[in-house]
Each structure stands twice: as structure tokens, then as C-alpha cells.
Amino acid sequence: MTHDVIVIGGSYAGMAAALQLLRARRKVLVIDAGKRRNRFADASHGFLGQDGVNPGEIARRAKEQLAAYPTLTWIEETAEQAEGRKDAFVVTAADGVRHDGRRLLFATGVSDTLPEIEGLGERWGKNIFHCPYCHGYELDQGRIGCIATGPMSLHQAQLLPEWGEVTLFLNGAFAPDAEQRADLAARGVTIEETLVARLEGEADVRLADGRLLQFAGLFTATRVSPSSRIAEQLGCAIEETLFGTQIQTDAMKETTVPGAFACGDAARIPHSVSLAVGDGAWAGAQLHRSLVF
């Protein structure tokens, strides 16, 4: 069976794209490994109509709605290889089964490279976040810690005072100049230059000099990259961004390989569930147009 579109990645962007195609009665195969980026979070915020809902529940409802369309095939598997060309792509899954498709859509999401700080990983998505629009409100204007990972952390620290009293931990990641320090001071941001030793409690920072600072929540900027190299392996160009790397696409969400498209966190910045859904919906419409014209 040849599918009109094979969607690699069945999270928010992939499902949003699939929905447009299914409503055009196109045959869609979704191959999903089941590892949503926000699987560590208890609630999704800033997504109209779904504010505060568990992200797993949002994904479950969406998948249930897609399943009502008879032209959907869903496989819970990892896509390991893509080859071929426009109108004749082949995707091989981890189980060895090969799937044929006229078009490809990479909606693989991204992986976060976290700062190497003891205790950070197990608190990621629970008490430590990257997006204040998604998680800042719930901190109830309490004390916020921002752990720097590079010069881009300056922007994060400048923005965070909208949600609480901010301490910026430079942690040896960068050194603000005099003008930047003055700007942070004007915003009420405290700069802490002592290195972070580890994280404790829910969102407590233990410094190298032994001090323990307590916060309502912490933010840090991760470096991201597509969670699968399958698009790169096919020959799609990968580009550098302020936050890491992503799959290069044009305005129609087509990659540098004709007939192969990409959307969601793997192909756009910045990142959020609502932005991923919008990007997926646009990609789905453009995929359909590519099949028609």
C-alpha cells in the first residue's frame, strides 16, 4: 500500500498536520515512537481551550479524534530510515517493515541537552522550565532562579521579572558587560556569580560556597536538536538557530529534499504546544496542495 503522506512523529504538530490531510480524505500513515517532549510536565499552559490540561491527555484526545477517520494508519514504532524521492519514498521502521509514501513529513520534535548540574534532570518539566509563558504564571510571583547556559540566557533573565523576583546564576556560562548588568539591575534582577553545586528540594539551589537559595521555580535555556537524524540522513539540510539546530524548511514547510516536509519544534523556533499545532496545521495544508498541484 502506498500512502499519500507518511508522518514521522505523532505528537501535536504531526497530528495537526495529519488532521488536515485526513479531512481531505488522503491516506495517512503516522509512525510514532511515543516520546513527547513535554512528557515530563503535569500540565500544558498557554494553549487556547486546553489551558492547564495534562499534555498526555491532550495527545490522547487528539489521537482518538484522528482515529475516527478511516484513511488513517497509526503505527507505534520508531522510524529508522527514509530513502527515495518525491512520489516514491520508503520509510523503514525499527521492526524492519518498509512503508511506501508519496510525501514525507518530519514531525519528530527535538531533544533537550540540559546543563550538567546535579539534580536538574529529575526536576526538568516539574520545577525547572524553559518557557515562562508556559509555566511562569503558576509560580504566583514567587522567587525565580534563572540558570545561565550562555549569552542567550540574558534575554531569559530580562523577561522573567514579569513573573517574579529573579536571580540570575551566571554559573560561568557568560559574563554580562556593564551595560547588560545595568539593564538587569533596572529590572530588579539579582546577579549571582558563585557556581551552582547542585539542586535540592523542589527548586532549591546549593551554591559552591555552601549557601542554599530557595525558589518557587527555576528556568534554564537548553540546547535543542531534532530528536531523530532521519531527516538529515535523507539529505535534508539542518540549520543553526539561537537555540540549537533544526530542519531547514521554506515558507511552505518543505525541506531541501523535494516532497519531504517538516514542522513543529524540529523545524521552527520558538517552541510551544500551540505554536507546534499551528505549524502542523499549515504543513498539512501545504502537503495536500503539493499532492494536488
Side-chain angles (χ1 to χ4, degrees):
M1 176 180 178
T2 299
H3 302 276
D4 290 313
V5 179
I6 298 177
V7 178
I8 300 175
S11 190
Y12 311 105
M15 286 194 283
L19 181 59
Q20 312 307 310
L21 292 157
L22 293 168
R23 291 188 56 78
R25 302 185 184 276
R26 291 292 179 167
K27 293 178 291 184
V28 178
L29 168 63
V30 177
I31 303 176
D32 181 51
K35 293 184 178 181
R36 290 176 294 101
R37 183 187 184 191
N38 66 355
R39 62 190 180 276
F40 305 107
D42 295 326
S44 176
H45 295 285
F47 184 12
L48 188 64
Q50 302 287 350
D51 191 46
V53 179
N54 181 281
E57 178 63 13
I58 296 173
R60 186 196 67 77
R61 291 178 190 169
K63 183 179 177 182
E64 186 177 78
Q65 290 170 3
L66 293 188
Y69 292 88
T71 56
L72 172 71
T73 302
W74 187 291
I75 297 175
E76 295 183 358
E77 189 57 90
T78 299
E80 291 200 336
Q81 183 178 11
E83 56 190 317
R85 62 187 185 281
K86 185 176 183 178
D87 288 320
F89 288 111
V90 178
V91 176
T92 303
D95 58 6
V97 177
R98 292 162 60 88
H99 304 278
D100 300 318
R102 295 181 59 196
R103 300 287 186 275
L104 293 184
L105 175 63
F106 298 107
T108 57
V110 295
S111 296
D112 292 283
T113 299
L114 302 174
E116 294 184 2
I117 297 174
E118 181 183 342
L120 194 152
E122 54 265 40
R123 292 168 177 79
W124 180 244
K126 300 178 177 65
N127 307 102
I128 305 173
F129 316 102
H130 78 285
C131 174
Y133 294 101
C134 300
H135 302 286
Y137 184 86
E138 282 62 42
L139 300 182
D140 200 25
Q141 297 184 309
R143 296 186 66 211
I144 297 172
C146 177
I147 301 175
T149 57
M152 277 300 295
S153 294
L154 174 68
H155 175 70
Q156 194 173 39
Q158 290 171 323
L159 188 64
L160 281 169
E162 292 293 295
W163 287 273
E165 179 187 343
V166 178
T167 297
L168 171 61
F169 296 92
L170 297 180
N171 204 35
F174 82 109
D177 60 27
E179 183 178 347
Q180 292 168 338
R181 286 176 180 271
D183 179 85
L184 290 170
R187 298 171 190 270
V189 176
T190 300
I191 296 177
E192 177 57 68
E193 304 203 33
T194 305
L195 295 178
V196 174
R198 62 183 176 274
L199 304 184
E200 301 177 4
E202 291 187 352
D204 302 339
V205 179
R206 178 73 68 178
L207 297 176
D209 61 11
R211 284 180 292 149
L212 182 67
L213 303 182
Q214 297 180 311
F215 297 93
L218 302 170
F219 287 83
T220 193
T222 65
R223 181 170 175 80
V224 302
S225 59
S227 61
S228 169
R229 296 191 63 184
I230 191 168
E232 184 178 5
Q233 171 262 320
L234 179 65
C236 301
I238 305 297
E239 61 184 0
E240 287 284 340
T241 76
L242 295 173
F243 305 108
T245 59
Q246 67 181 26
I247 304 168
Q248 182 180 322
T249 63
D250 62 17
M252 301 298 107
K253 305 307 298 182
E254 190 167 18
T255 71
T256 54
V257 174
F261 293 67
C263 67
D265 288 1
R268 62 152 290 125
I269 56 171
H271 303 149
S272 75
V273 175
S274 55
L275 292 174
V277 169
D279 203 47
W282 177 249
Q286 299 315 307
L287 275 157
H288 178 245
R289 288 175 59 84
S290 80
L291 292 164
V292 173
F293 296 107

